[in-house]
Amino acid sequence: MAGTQNRIRAQGPGTARKLTIKPLKSKPKLPEDFETTTWKKLQHAVHAVHGKQPVTVSLEELYRAVEDMCLHKMADRLYANLQQECNTHISAELEKLASSQTIDPVLFLQHMGNCWHDHTSQMLTIRSIFLYLDRTYVISTTGVRSLFEMGLQLFRTHLASHPQVERKTVQGLLQLIKAERQGETVDRTLLKHLLRMFTSLNIYADGFEQPFLEQTAQFYAAEGIQYMQETDVADYLLHSEKRLGEEYERCQQYLDSSTRKALVHAVERQLLEKHMPTILEKGYDALMAEKRVPDLGRLYSLCARIHALEALKQSFREYIKKTGITMIMDEEKDKDMVNLLLEMKANLDTVLHQAFQHNEQFANAMKDAFEHFINQRQNKPAELIAKFIDAELKAGNKGQTDDELEVRLDKALILFRYISGKDVFEAFYKKDLAKRLLLGKSASTDSEKNMITKLKTECGSQFTNKLEGMFKDIDLSKDIMTSFRQAKAVQAKLTDGLDMNVNILTSGYWPTYPTVDAKLPLELNHYQEVFKAFYLSKHSGRRLVWHNSLGTCIVTAHFPKGKKELSVSLFQTVVLTLFNDADSLTFAEIQEASGIEEKELKRTLQSLACGKVRVLLKEPKGREVDSGDTFLFNEAFVASLYRIKINSIQLKETVEENKKTNDQVIQDRQYQIDAAIVRIMKTRKTLSHKLLVSELLVMLKFPIKASDLKKRIESLIDREYLERDEANQNVYNYLA
Amino acid sequence: MVEPFVWQGFYQGYQRYAELISQPPGAQQHNVREGLAQLHCQLQASIAGEPACAVLRAHEFRSQLQDLDRSSFTSLYRFVFFVCRDPGRRNLQVSRAIEAWTILLVGRFRLLEQWCAFVTQHQTQIITEDVWRQVLDFSRSVPEDLGTYDPESAWPVLLDEFVDSVKRNRSSCFGSKRRCIDMDTVSHQLSELTTVEGLVASPPAKRLRIMRSYSVPQPG
C-alpha cells in the first residue's frame, strides 16, 4: 500500500515529462556476412551431429540462428543447404555400408540397424535445431518435405542407388526369420527395428514383403512334404496349428500388420490346402476309429480356415457309410448289431458335438450316411431294432432305472428313424408286443405305453393304431374276466380248484397265429365251453377261436420229494397231465393222447425232458427228441425253488416264426403296391411305364426294386386291371 | 392226323378272331370284348388245348406260315395263345408255349433257341398272355446283340431276366459265336513268353553292370 502511494506521489503534479519514440534514423542492417557465418555455425553443428560429436554451441543459440535466418527470408536457402549437408552425409554412410566387407548377413544387419538408428536419431536432433524452419517454411511452402521426411527421402534415394545394400539387408532378414522358424533364438528387436525401417522408407511391400512371402511359401512347401511323409496325420495337424500360431505371433512381434493376411494364407496354402486331400484320405478314418476328438477338432478348425469343410464333411459321411456297412453286413454280429450301432452313433455324436462344433451340415451328413447304410441290408436291421426294444421292455431286464430305460429306447428310436422299411419293424414289434402282453413278460405297462406314444409321434397314429388296439384288448379282457367271475350262475357250473384267465384278442389287431389243435384235459375243455357260452351270451354274433398255443398254466406237481408249482405252457400242461395216469409213455402214445402236431410236440417234450428243469426223463437220453423215444415221470425231481418256470419255449422265436413275419411283410407290401398302382392308374387312365414307376417310388414308403414293381404290374395286367397300349408297349391303360 | 373238323374250327376261329381284333379302337371296344368272350366259349367247347396244338404241328400249317404278312402274323400269333390254352385255363403251360414258339417264330426270332432254353430252365410254370405278346414285340424290336434293350422300360420281368442271362453268358466267353478260350493254350503261350524274356534280357544286363562298377575306381 505504501509503495503505491509513493508512486502516485512521484507522478504527481509538477514536473511532467513526455516520452517520445522516434524511428531509427537508419535501418539496422544485417552484417554482410550474416548468412555465411550463421550457416557456418549451423553447418558446424550439423557436422558435429553427423559425426556424433558434442555440439560446441548451445542448442538455444543454434535455434535462434535458424529463427533469425528464417525471419530474414533465408529459409529457402537454409533448407537447400541443410538438404545438401544431409545428402552428403547419408550418401557417405551408405557408401560405407555398401563397401563394407561383412559377409555374414546377420552381422551386416547389425551395421544396417546401427546406420538406421543413427540416421533417425540424428535427423531428430537436427530437426530440433531446425524446428523453426520445419514449422514455418516447410508448412507454408508447398512441395517441400518436412525435415524428417526429407531425411527419409534421401535415405531412400541412396538406398536405391545401392541395391546390394537393400538386397543384403533383405537376405539377412529372411535368413534370420528362417533361423527362427527352425527353432533358433534370434534378435527380434533388430528384426523389428529394420522392418520398421522398411515401413518408414515405404519399401516394405515391394522390397521385403514379396520376397518374404515367397520364401515362406517355399519353406512351408518343403516342410509340408517332408512332414507328410514323416509324421502321422494327428502330429501333422498339431504341427500345422503350431506353425500358424507362430506366424501370428511373428506378425505381432515384428512384421508389419499388413502382412498378416497374406502370410497366414501362404502358410495355410502350403501346409493345409495342398495336403488336405491326402490328410483326409489317409488319416481321417484312423482319427475317427481311434476317437481322437481333440485331433478331429483341430482338423475341423483347420479345414474351416481353408474352406475345406465340404471335403471334411464328405470324408465324415464316407467314413460312416463304410464302417456302417461292414457292421450291418456282418451276419455273425447280428446279435450285437443294435448295440454296436448305438455305440457308433454315440461316438459320432461326441465327435460331432465336441470336435465339429455342432455343425448342422455335418449332422445332416451323418443322418444321410446312416439312412444310406442301414438300408443297404434289407429288413434285418429293422427286425433287430424291434427285438432290441423287445429285450429292453421285457421283464428280467433289470438293473436300470426308468430314466435309463427311456434313454435307451430313445436311442433305439433314433436308429428306427433311419430305417426306410418301417413296416418290417412294425411286424416284428407287434409280434413281440403280443408275446409280452399275453405271457405277462412286460416290465411295466407305463414303459410300454410310453413306447407306443413315442412311435405315434414318430410315425403317426395310423402306425400305432393296431398296437394300441392290443392294449385295449387286454384291458377289456380284464373287465370281462371280472364280470365272468362275478356271474354266479356261470361259476356254479365250474369245478373248484381250477381258475382260468382269458384274453380276448380282436383278430385284426394281433399277429395271425396258426391254430394248433390239442386235446385239452377235460376240466379245461369244460371251462372253455362255459366261458365261450358266457361270452357269446354277452356279445352275440361274434366268433370265438381258442389259440391254445398262446396259453400258459400254473400246475401243481406232487413229486415224491416235495410239492412244486410249475409255470408251463398249455401244451406242456397237456403233456404233463397225461402222466397223471401213467408213469411211462412213448412218443407215439403222447402224440395220440394229446393230439399235438409232431414238431410242436417235440419242442414241448424237449423243454420238459432235455432242458434245465427236467420233470420228465427220456429214454434213451439225449438232447434231441426222436419219435421213437419213451418218456418217464421223474420221481427223483428236486429243485430249490417252489415255483419253477419251464415255459420259456413260447418266448423263443423259432425260425419258422421269423420267416412267417417276414413273409407277412412281403405279402402286405404286395397288396400296398397293387393298391398304389390301381390308385394311380385310376386317376391317370393312361400312363407310361417310367412315369408310373416314378410315381410309385414316391408314393410307397418302403424300399423297393423296380423288378418287384414290374411283377406287380404284370400281375395286374394278367388280372385285367391294366392293359398295354396297342400302339406302344411302354404305355399302360387302366381298364375300368 | 388232324381231324378235318379241327382244321375247320381252327381256321374259322382264326378268321373271326382276326376280324374282331382288327377293328379300330374306340367305341367298339365293348363289342370286341364280348365277341372275344363268345369266341372263347365256343373254342373252349370245341378245339381249345391239345387239338389246336395238333394243328400247329401239321406240315400244312407250317408251310403256310412263311407267306403271312406282318399284321396277319400278329393276329395269328395272338390267336395261337387264345386257342392253345387248356379249357378253363387263363394261361399257357410252359411246355406248350415253347412248342408253339419253336413252330411260329422259327426264322423270325434270332434268339429263339436261347429263349426256349432259358424258359425251360426257369422256374416259371406258365406263360401269361402279356408275356406271350411281348415276346413277339421283343423278337421284332430288339436286335440280336441286345444293344437297344432297356431294362428300365416296360418289358416283362421274364424278358429282363432272359436278357440278363444272355449277357452274362456272353461276357463269360467273349461272345456267343466265338469259342471259349482254351486255358491250356493260353498258359502254354504264356510260359513260352517268360522263357524268351528270361534268355534275352536278364543275364547280359547284369554282367554289364558289374563291369561298369569295376571301372569306376580308376581315375585317369
Side-chain angles (χ1 to χ4, degrees):
Chain A
M1 189 55 90
T4 318
Q5 279 172 348
N6 285 344
R7 211 183 291 165
I8 292 169
R9 227 176 284 147
Q11 284 178 356
T15 53
R17 266 203 282 163
K18 229 179 183 177
L19 188 73
T20 348
I21 301 168
K22 289 179 189 166
L24 285 171
K25 280 186 191 125
S26 63
K27 219 172 154 191
K29 263 197 161 169
L30 276 176
E32 282 292 313
D33 56 351
F34 169 75
E35 192 179 345
T36 339
T37 41
T38 318
W39 168 241
K40 270 276 166 359
K41 198 160 60 177
L42 286 172
Q43 191 182 30
H44 195 73
V46 169
H47 277 204
V49 170
H50 279 156
K52 294 187 201 165
Q53 272 142 18
V55 181
T56 43
V57 193
S58 86
L59 288 176
E60 187 184 356
E61 200 185 326
L62 290 172
Y63 180 83
R64 284 274 168 76
V66 172
E67 190 178 2
D68 287 348
M69 284 188 83
C70 286
L71 283 174
H72 289 101
K73 304 212 168 34
M74 297 164 190
D76 50 349
R77 286 196 296 280
L78 179 62
Y79 186 88
N81 284 334
L82 180 61
Q83 188 168 13
Q84 181 59 41
E85 271 319 306
C86 292
N87 191 11
T88 328
H89 172 71
I90 293 167
S91 160
E93 286 294 315
L94 283 172
E95 197 66 48
K96 230 193 291 173
L97 272 177
S99 59
S100 88
Q101 293 298 311
T102 326
I103 298 174
D104 178 25
V106 182
L107 215 61
F108 181 79
L109 283 187
Q110 292 284 357
H111 292 313
M112 187 70 206
N114 291 340
C115 172
W116 172 250
H117 182 255
D118 291 347
H119 171 76
T120 44
S121 63
Q122 286 163 6
M123 278 317 287
L124 279 176
T125 321
I126 289 171
R127 180 175 174 268
S128 326
I129 296 170
F130 289 79
L131 190 61
Y132 197 84
L133 178 72
D134 207 24
R135 282 297 162 85
T136 53
Y137 172 73
V138 171
I139 290 179
S140 58
T141 322
T142 49
V144 175
R145 290 192 172 81
S146 76
L147 293 182
F148 197 80
E149 268 295 304
M150 186 254 299
L152 292 178
Q153 167 67 21
L154 290 172
F155 203 96
R156 182 157 50 225
T157 325
H158 288 290
L159 195 62
S161 61
H162 297 294
Q164 74 272 28
V165 174
E166 191 188 326
R167 204 171 55 231
K168 250 180 157 177
T169 318
V170 172
Q171 264 174 12
L173 286 171
L174 294 182
Q175 211 163 323
L176 269 188
I177 294 175
K178 191 171 176 185
E180 193 185 33
R181 280 185 180 144
Q182 281 165 348
E184 291 170 36
T185 325
V186 297
D187 185 355
R188 286 187 157 191
T189 338
L190 178 64
L191 277 171
K192 187 175 177 175
H193 189 60
L194 285 169
L195 286 168
R196 278 285 160 75
M197 175 185 91
F198 275 89
T199 318
S200 304
L201 293 177
N202 226 349
I203 51 172
Y204 180 82
D206 297 334
F208 173 75
E209 194 179 32
Q210 220 176 334
F212 170 67
L213 289 177
E214 274 165 26
Q215 194 220 27
T216 309
Q218 252 174 29
F219 178 80
Y220 284 119
E223 185 177 87
I225 292 168
Q226 190 196 352
Y227 268 71
M228 275 306 286
Q229 283 169 351
E230 287 174 3
T231 58
D232 71 343
V233 166
D235 289 344
Y236 185 84
L237 294 173
L238 191 65
H239 180 76
S240 303
E241 200 182 51
K242 198 183 98 205
R243 279 302 195 194
L244 280 167
E246 280 171 12
E247 294 304 331
Y248 269 114
E249 201 204 343
R250 197 155 285 138
C251 287
Q252 276 178 350
Q253 293 290 331
Y254 52 81
L255 292 173
D256 193 86
S257 57
S258 62
T259 316
R260 202 183 70 194
K261 214 172 165 190
L263 173 64
V264 169
H265 181 74
V267 180
E268 285 170 351
R269 163 117 196 81
Q270 298 302 333
L271 282 184
L272 299 173
E273 263 175 59
K274 276 190 177 173
H275 301 291
M276 199 44 86
T278 331
I279 292 176
L280 291 178
E281 194 185 317
K282 281 191 187 157
Y284 182 76
D285 289 2
L287 290 184
M288 286 298 288
E290 291 165 31
K291 292 174 237 155
R292 294 165 76 159
V293 175
D295 288 328
L296 286 167
R298 191 166 297 126
L299 180 62
Y300 179 86
S301 57
L302 291 177
C303 278
R305 297 185 80 105
I306 59 165
H307 309 288
L309 283 183
E310 194 55 38
L312 179 64
K313 193 176 81 186
Q314 196 60 31
S315 301
F316 183 58
R317 197 200 318 257
E318 288 311 314
Y319 171 78
I320 301 175
K321 279 188 192 172
K322 208 162 56 190
T323 40
I325 282 181
T326 42
M327 209 175 269
I328 292 275
M329 291 301 176
D330 190 351
E331 288 188 22
E332 284 175 15
K333 284 191 186 156
D334 275 357
K335 253 191 190 167
D336 291 332
M337 187 202 285
V338 176
N339 274 320
L340 288 173
L341 285 176
L342 286 178
E343 197 186 324
M344 170 176 165
K345 177 82 174 52
N347 288 336
L348 289 172
D349 278 340
T350 324
V351 170
L352 185 65
H353 292 162
Q354 293 179 8
F356 295 164
Q357 303 173 3
H358 292 270
N359 188 321
E360 199 140 306
Q361 292 195 334
F362 279 69
N364 280 338
M366 178 158 98
K367 186 170 156 271
D368 274 3
F370 261 94
E371 275 174 6
H372 175 260
F373 81 73
I374 215 165
N375 291 310
Q376 286 300 96
R377 187 162 164 208
Q378 295 268 306
N379 304 349
K380 199 75 189 173
E383 179 191 325
L384 292 171
I385 293 171
K387 284 184 181 157
F388 175 82
I389 296 177
D390 174 54
E392 292 291 329
L393 289 173
K394 245 185 221 166
N397 198 346
K398 300 242 168 67
Q400 55 181 355
T401 63
D402 282 358
D403 289 345
E404 283 167 358
L405 177 69
E406 177 118 13
V407 169
R408 284 175 74 79
L409 290 180
D410 278 339
K411 280 182 180 165
L413 218 58
I414 291 174
L415 292 182
F416 165 70
R417 216 166 284 159
Y418 299 135
I419 297 272
S420 57
K422 299 212 171 11
D423 47 354
V424 180
F425 175 87
E426 190 198 355
F428 279 95
Y429 189 83
K430 192 161 117 178
K431 189 198 64 156
D432 292 334
L433 175 64
K435 277 192 176 175
R436 288 201 299 274
L437 289 177
L438 294 179
L439 304 179
K441 286 295 171 191
S442 200
S444 92
T445 323
D446 285 350
S447 303
E448 289 283 0
K449 292 202 166 150
N450 190 4
M451 186 66 207
I452 298 290
T453 324
K454 284 183 207 293
L455 287 174
K456 199 173 186 171
T457 42
E458 202 63 45
C459 306
S461 58
Q462 214 189 344
F463 190 80
T464 51
N465 209 352
K466 291 179 178 170
L467 304 179
E468 283 170 308
M470 290 160 72
F471 282 101
K472 215 183 286 165
D473 275 352
I474 296 292
D475 288 345
L476 278 178
S477 302
K478 277 182 193 150
D479 293 347
I480 292 170
M481 282 319 291
T482 323
S483 59
F484 175 67
R485 294 209 173 98
Q486 281 165 355
K488 292 216 172 93
V490 181
Q491 289 297 320
K493 294 181 200 162
L494 297 172
T495 38
D496 286 336
L498 189 67
D499 192 18
M500 186 159 82
N501 193 38
V502 181
N503 283 318
I504 298 177
L505 316 179
T506 314
S507 59
Y509 295 156
W510 298 73
T512 47
Y513 298 103
T515 44
V516 184
D517 268 334
K519 291 177 192 156
L520 297 188
L522 275 178
E523 307 93 305
L524 282 177
N525 225 343
H526 176 62
Y527 211 119
Q528 279 190 349
E529 291 302 324
V530 172
F531 182 84
K532 193 171 181 179
F534 168 79
Y535 182 77
L536 292 181
S537 71
K538 293 238 166 179
H539 306 274
S540 57
R542 292 197 184 172
R543 209 165 65 87
L544 212 52
V545 179
W546 295 95
H547 280 290
N548 293 331
S549 59
L550 300 170
T552 57
C553 301
I554 294 175
V555 295
T556 322
H558 299 272
F559 290 103
K561 297 200 173 166
K563 195 169 113 180
K564 298 284 175 196
E565 253 185 24
L566 305 177
S567 166
V568 287
S569 76
L570 185 58
F571 288 159
Q572 285 168 327
T573 312
V574 171
V575 173
L576 287 176
T577 47
L578 294 178
F579 286 87
N580 276 340
D581 307 321
D583 280 340
S584 154
L585 292 166
T586 64
F587 184 86
E589 282 166 345
I590 296 173
Q591 193 176 9
E592 164 72 31
S594 66
I596 302 173
E597 178 263 336
E598 181 174 340
K599 218 168 181 181
E600 186 68 44
L601 181 62
K602 274 187 181 170
R603 276 192 334 127
T604 310
L605 281 169
Q606 197 175 18
S607 68
L608 291 171
C610 310
K612 251 189 223 162
V613 185
R614 299 185 180 183
V615 288
L616 296 182
L617 291 177
K618 190 170 81 81
E619 269 310 321
K621 294 199 175 352
R623 296 209 54 82
E624 298 300 317
V625 172
D626 198 70
S627 39
D629 294 347
T630 310
F631 296 87
L632 304 155
F633 174 65
N634 184 2
E635 299 208 8
F637 182 81
V638 275
S640 51
L641 295 168
Y642 176 66
R643 183 179 270 198
I644 303 158
K645 266 185 201 163
I646 325 183
N647 61 344
S648 55
I649 48 158
Q650 267 172 313
L651 274 173
K652 279 201 196 107
E653 185 191 49
T654 57
V655 182
E656 299 96 71
E657 209 175 341
N658 188 311
K659 193 170 170 298
K660 208 191 83 193
T661 315
N662 273 319
D663 288 349
Q664 191 63 46
V665 173
I666 292 167
Q667 189 74 41
D668 282 351
R669 283 183 179 178
Q670 289 196 346
Y671 293 142
Q672 282 188 51
I673 299 172
D674 285 2
I677 295 173
V678 170
R679 212 175 305 142
I680 292 169
M681 291 306 292
K682 201 168 183 176
T683 48
R684 299 301 186 95
K685 301 294 180 213
T686 295
L687 199 60
S688 80
H689 175 76
K690 276 178 187 166
L691 287 176
L692 176 61
V693 169
S694 66
E695 276 203 40
L696 283 172
L697 291 177
V698 173
M699 192 183 272
L700 296 168
K701 296 290 177 222
F702 43 86
I704 196 149
K705 282 182 288 192
S707 66
D708 292 335
L709 291 180
K710 264 191 187 177
K711 276 183 193 154
R712 297 322 300 160
I713 294 172
E714 279 177 51
S715 155
L716 285 170
I717 291 176
D718 201 36
R719 285 182 276 157
E720 292 181 354
Y721 284 92
L722 306 177
E723 67 170 10
R724 280 183 205 268
D725 196 86
E726 279 292 328
N728 183 351
Q729 65 112 356
N730 276 324
V731 173
Y732 304 117
N733 296 327
Y734 179 70
L735 294 176
Chain B
M1 259 321 276
V2 181
E3 308 253 356
F5 84 90
V6 177
W7 274 109
Q8 203 182 357
F10 190 92
Y11 275 101
Q12 277 172 0
Y14 166 62
Q15 268 159 13
R16 173 86 184 117
Y17 183 83
E19 198 180 294
L20 280 168
I21 66 165
S22 61
Q23 280 184 13
Q28 306 292 316
Q29 278 298 319
H30 184 67
N31 290 344
V32 171
R33 208 159 285 160
E34 226 163 60
L36 284 176
Q38 260 178 18
L39 181 62
H40 184 238
C41 292
Q42 201 182 319
L43 290 171
Q44 290 275 303
S46 54
I47 59 163
E50 191 47 41
C53 289
V55 174
L56 300 189
R57 282 181 218 117
H59 181 70
E60 295 93 321
F61 177 82
R62 294 186 189 204
S63 60
Q64 287 173 31
L65 276 176
Q66 304 301 324
D67 310 329
L68 287 173
D69 62 29
R70 194 181 165 94
S71 68
S72 356
F73 182 78
T74 310
S75 43
L76 175 67
Y77 180 83
R78 291 188 178 183
F79 177 68
V80 167
F81 182 89
F82 193 75
V83 78
C84 286
R85 292 175 292 189
D86 272 337
R89 293 287 193 86
R90 296 177 47 78
N91 298 310
L92 203 58
Q93 300 104 293
V94 164
S95 55
R96 195 167 284 172
I98 288 174
E99 190 184 3
W101 273 321
T102 42
I103 295 166
L104 290 167
L105 293 180
V106 68
R108 289 177 193 261
F109 183 17
R110 285 167 187 274
L111 295 165
L112 182 62
E113 242 176 77
Q114 293 176 56
W115 166 249
C116 290
F118 170 78
V119 177
T120 322
Q121 280 165 19
H122 199 271
Q123 290 180 341
T124 183
Q125 299 297 316
I126 50 150
I127 296 297
T128 63
E129 183 159 20
D130 184 49
V131 173
W132 177 264
R133 290 182 178 193
Q134 290 298 305
V135 169
L136 182 63
D137 270 9
F138 180 84
S139 72
R140 283 174 172 173
S141 62
V142 178
E144 194 186 353
D145 66 357
L146 302 172
T148 55
Y149 188 83
D150 177 11
E152 298 291 301
S153 88
W155 294 111
V157 179
L158 194 64
L159 278 165
D160 282 343
E161 289 172 357
F162 168 64
V163 171
D164 257 8
S165 84
V166 172
K167 281 187 176 166
R168 226 178 303 124
N169 285 340
R170 282 186 186 174
S171 64
S172 65
C173 56
F174 292 139
S176 57
K177 282 184 181 168
R178 253 176 272 167
R179 66 195 166 87
C180 292
I181 325 163
D182 184 354
M183 280 319 285
D184 285 342
T185 338
V186 173
S187 67
H188 180 66
Q189 281 168 353
L190 280 174
S191 69
E192 269 185 2
L193 265 177
T194 44
T195 50
V196 168
E197 204 178 82
L199 274 173
V200 177
S202 42
K206 232 180 201 172
R207 215 178 299 152
L208 207 68
R209 222 176 292 139
I210 293 164
M211 279 160 68
R212 254 187 219 148
S213 70
Y214 276 125
S215 67
V216 170
Q218 295 167 343

